[in-house]
Amino acid sequence: MNLSQQDLEICKYLAEGRKNTEIARKLFLSEHTIKARISKIMTCLGACNRTRVAYILGKENIINV
């Protein structure tokens, strides 16, 4: 699993149930960038959706869920 610090921060917001627009606003990035990063994260983790990303990272104690 090769996620950057910013990817992990995005995942933390995903686990909180935040929408892409909220995440983009908090990280001063475009919504398009957030969508692309989430897609990359999902591919990297083999996750089929955002909830699965939070589950995988929580199970591995990478983020607090």
Side-chain angles (χ1 to χ4, degrees):
M1 183 174 347
N2 192 16
L3 299 177
S4 70
Q5 191 61 38
Q6 193 168 54
D7 290 339
L8 293 174
E9 193 168 0
I10 290 170
C11 291
K12 180 187 78 161
Y13 290 126
L14 282 179
E16 292 174 359
R18 306 253 184 200
K19 296 181 182 200
N20 290 351
T21 52
E22 294 175 283
I23 298 169
R25 213 173 303 125
K26 287 192 172 286
L27 298 179
F28 302 102
L29 298 169
S30 73
E31 188 175 351
H32 176 77
T33 299
I34 296 300
K35 286 180 183 179
R37 297 291 287 270
I38 291 172
S39 179
K40 174 194 162 265
I41 291 165
M42 288 172 59
T43 299
C44 180
L45 296 176
C48 56
N49 58 43
R50 298 160 70 103
T51 304
R52 190 73 178 156
V53 168
Y55 172 79
I56 292 168
L57 294 178
K59 184 178 176 187
E60 297 294 324
N61 293 318
I62 296 171
I63 61 171
N64 292 324
V65 182

